[in-house]
Amino acid sequence: MNENTTQKENKNLVAIVTMMFLYAMIAFVTNLAAPIGVVMKNDPEVGGSNTLAMLGNFMNFFAYLFMGIPAGKILMKIGYKKTAMTAIVVGFFGVFIQYVSGFDTFTGYANNVIYLIGAFVSGISVCMLNIVVNPMLNLLGGGGNKGNQLNMIGGTLNSLFGTLTPVIVGALIGEVTKSTNFAQINLVLYIAMAVFAVVFVVLSRLTINDPTIGKVTAETKFERSAWSFRHFVLGATAIFAYVGAEVGIPGTLNFYIADPSTKGAGMALNAAAIGGFVAGTYWLMMLVGRTLVSFVANKISSRTLLMTATATSMVLILSAMTVPKTSMSPMLLFTGSSFEVTQIPLSALLLVLVGLCTSVMWPCIFNLATEGLGKYTAQASGIFMMMVFGGGILPLVQNAVADSAGYMTSYIIPLIAMAWMFCYALFGSKNVNKDIKID
């Protein structure tokens, strides 16, 4: 092996590690919203409203509706590396704005508004990173199985950081009191800004060629659009429902456990820490689910896998909604200072297990909805990114229901979302528009 080859492989490895960090940061920044919502809920300006406390999550995902399609156009204009670097800069400032929201110089109302602006800016960053990371890892891996393997590892890191974020933030908040404020989570914001800064410097020094963007060129003629395919249109609504359910289940669960009215031994103190750990365990289940399914995914169709996952989710959610409130279950939890076996509501444990099912839904829906689109696939991907906005809308609706009818009743929203995805897999995913020219 000559010196040039060795240098190329070393640069390739650095680029891969950099993309892995970005994969992790997508989950890290996104999952800040729900545990920080516990702080917002305690603010006198918010008045204990779950709906208002979920606004940070809403703003984060509202950015997808605002930026989904423009991000794709930016990507086509300036390329993958520059798009990633732009997203990193935007992400740094988004986190910095959230840091500023903890300054004592502002009133409670101003703190909340500044935080929401930061959440929106961070959402723009995450949206842009999402359209860059997957194809970049595939390129760096040389495509094929190696590229898929790198994306699988990236997805695992994504789930891991999705697990750790609510746990760490919950531990920093600890017991929720009237004096609890945004400044208590500054440590994670320092870490996020440092990672963004380091990744920007590293990426700026790397030479990375853009992936080949399919067969689409300036001369390609588009007689129709991705919206002309029924199975894609229904798939786009399924993605909206999926992200809403995926985010709403642990987000509302965090509020439920952290609420003083939720009874359980050891839950009176450090409720935010316990709530963060329980919500984090949901994301851990997603990590476990992705790992397990990766061994059998090549033997099971996306349609069958989606039907099985959504049907199982519906059973678990219905069970959580109907189990007696007094039913408790032991669970090993981090209570803020140590690991202890703590009694939590059985309904919470059942909702945590839904994470095993949601872990496989995105790739299944994406595969089913984009099958047979040909030259319209790139446009479809941009629309899909826009439909991630469901992660802002449905959790907001769910928590409005929680405010008026109770936490467990609010899970009717993700239950309906699961039912719709099941119907999509059952009869909506068939391509009935094969007469449309796709090459």
Side-chain angles (χ1 to χ4, degrees):
M1 183 180 295
N2 59 44
E3 185 177 347
N4 289 336
T5 302
T6 303
Q7 289 179 347
K8 183 178 179 180
E9 289 184 352
N10 288 338
K11 288 182 178 179
N12 210 40
L13 179 61
V14 173
I16 290 171
V17 172
T18 301
M19 288 299 114
M20 292 296 181
F21 268 107
L22 290 180
Y23 226 134
M25 289 304 293
I26 289 171
F28 189 84
V29 174
T30 300
N31 285 293
L32 282 174
I36 291 178
V38 174
V39 178
M40 281 191 67
K41 181 180 176 181
N42 191 63
D43 192 302
E45 300 285 349
V46 175
S49 169
N50 290 294
T51 308
L52 293 178
M54 190 57 78
L55 279 178
N57 178 80
F58 171 82
M59 293 299 287
N60 195 279
F61 282 95
F62 177 64
Y64 281 86
L65 181 64
F66 174 80
M67 199 66 192
I69 294 178
K73 292 180 179 179
I74 291 172
L75 175 67
M76 297 293 289
K77 187 174 182 179
I78 66 176
Y80 281 76
K81 178 182 173 179
K82 289 183 179 179
T83 300
M85 293 177 67
T86 302
I88 292 168
V89 172
V90 173
F92 180 91
F93 281 105
V95 175
F96 179 75
I97 294 170
Q98 293 180 60
Y99 165 68
V100 172
S101 71
F103 286 7
D104 292 333
T105 52
F106 301 108
T107 63
Y109 177 78
N111 287 124
N112 291 333
V113 171
I114 293 170
Y115 162 67
L116 292 176
I117 293 172
F120 177 75
V121 175
S122 295
I124 290 176
S125 167
V126 172
C127 178
M128 295 175 71
L129 288 175
N130 263 307
I131 67 170
V132 169
V133 174
N134 281 35
M136 284 300 294
L137 277 176
N138 190 55
L139 168 72
L140 293 168
N145 293 337
K146 181 65 175 179
N148 289 336
Q149 183 185 40
L150 290 179
N151 271 304
M152 190 175 296
I153 295 171
T156 301
L157 277 175
N158 184 276
S159 296
L160 177 61
F161 273 69
T163 300
L164 292 176
T165 303
V167 174
I168 295 172
V169 176
L172 290 172
I173 295 171
E175 182 181 359
V176 181
T177 66
K178 290 183 178 180
S179 62
T180 302
N181 56 61
F182 290 135
Q184 289 179 233
I185 51 92
N186 278 349
L187 177 61
V188 293
L189 301 182
Y190 292 148
I191 294 172
M193 286 188 287
V195 171
F196 273 134
V198 171
V199 170
F200 180 87
V201 172
V202 172
L203 193 58
S204 67
R205 296 177 177 272
L206 294 175
T207 301
I208 304 175
N209 296 320
D210 279 359
T212 301
I213 308 172
K215 299 179 181 179
V216 178
T217 65
E219 289 73 37
T220 302
K221 294 183 179 180
F222 295 92
E223 298 82 8
R224 301 285 190 92
S225 73
W227 293 111
S228 301
F229 296 83
R230 191 197 72 169
H231 72 292
F232 167 74
V233 173
L234 296 179
T237 63
I239 281 292
F240 180 91
Y242 161 70
V243 183
E246 179 202 45
V247 174
I249 291 171
T252 306
L253 184 58
N254 199 342
F255 291 163
Y256 174 55
I257 297 297
D259 195 308
S261 65
T262 302
K263 304 299 181 183
M267 288 175 60
L269 297 176
N270 296 322
I274 295 174
F277 192 93
V278 172
T281 306
Y282 167 91
W283 297 104
L284 178 62
M285 290 298 100
M286 288 192 67
L287 171 60
V288 173
R290 285 171 176 168
T291 303
L292 294 176
V293 172
S294 66
F295 293 105
V296 297
N298 62 331
K299 300 177 182 178
I300 306 174
S301 70
S302 295
R303 179 174 179 270
T304 300
L305 193 55
L306 182 59
M307 287 175 61
T308 303
T310 50
T312 304
S313 295
M314 285 189 283
V315 171
L316 289 170
I317 294 172
L318 272 173
S319 299
M321 293 174 66
T322 55
V323 71
K325 294 182 179 179
T326 54
S327 297
M328 307 296 290
S329 174
M331 185 175 178
L332 181 64
L333 299 173
F334 184 69
T335 59
S337 58
S338 62
F339 283 91
E340 299 176 14
V341 175
T342 304
Q343 294 289 323
I344 68 167
L346 177 58
S347 56
L349 184 61
L350 292 169
L351 292 170
V352 163
L353 293 176
V354 177
L356 290 169
C357 305
T358 54
S359 65
V360 301
M361 293 179 186
W362 174 281
C364 289
I365 298 171
F366 186 88
N367 290 343
L368 290 170
T370 58
E371 185 177 355
L373 294 190
K375 62 185 178 183
Y376 299 102
T377 302
Q379 181 193 20
S381 297
I383 295 171
F384 258 49
M385 199 53 59
M386 184 179 70
M387 297 304 288
V388 171
F389 179 48
I393 291 291
L394 294 190
L396 202 66
V397 174
Q398 182 179 352
N399 281 276
V401 176
D403 282 331
S404 60
Y407 288 105
M408 286 303 109
T409 303
S410 76
Y411 278 91
I412 188 68
I413 303 301
L415 180 64
I416 293 172
M418 294 296 176
W420 173 243
M421 286 184 280
F422 178 83
C423 291
Y424 174 68
L426 185 63
F427 60 79
S429 57
K430 182 180 179 181
N431 184 0
V432 296
N433 303 105
K434 293 183 179 180
D435 57 316
I436 298 176
K437 186 179 179 181
I438 60 173
D439 51 20

